[in-house]
Amino acid sequence: MKIRFFSVTEMTLSLQLKQLEKDSLVSRTVFGEKPPIRVEYELTEFGITFI
């Protein structure tokens, strides 16, 4: 995502994804316990209704 949306700062992207998760539009999955940690986001069923 970072490559595709290079004009968006990491902070802005992080804040937006947190808000989308709070609104139940995306779900967040964390892989790994120590850095580097990989995080994936996917649309929830509710989020899919908007596309």
Side-chain angles (χ1 to χ4, degrees):
M1 191 175 270
K2 195 174 185 181
I3 294 169
R4 188 169 181 194
F5 300 108
F6 60 89
S7 63
V8 176
T9 66
E10 287 185 37
M11 182 180 203
T12 300
L13 180 58
S14 178
L15 290 172
Q16 290 297 313
L17 287 169
K18 285 178 184 176
Q19 185 62 49
L20 290 169
E21 183 180 15
K22 182 179 175 184
D23 295 337
S24 299
L25 295 170
V26 298
S27 62
R28 178 178 186 248
T29 306
V30 178
F31 299 92
E33 295 179 10
K34 30 184 174 167
I37 295 174
R38 189 178 95 217
V39 179
E40 290 184 3
Y41 291 87
E42 65 180 323
L43 287 172
T44 61
E45 288 186 30
F46 180 58
I48 291 171
T49 65
F50 288 92
I51 56 172

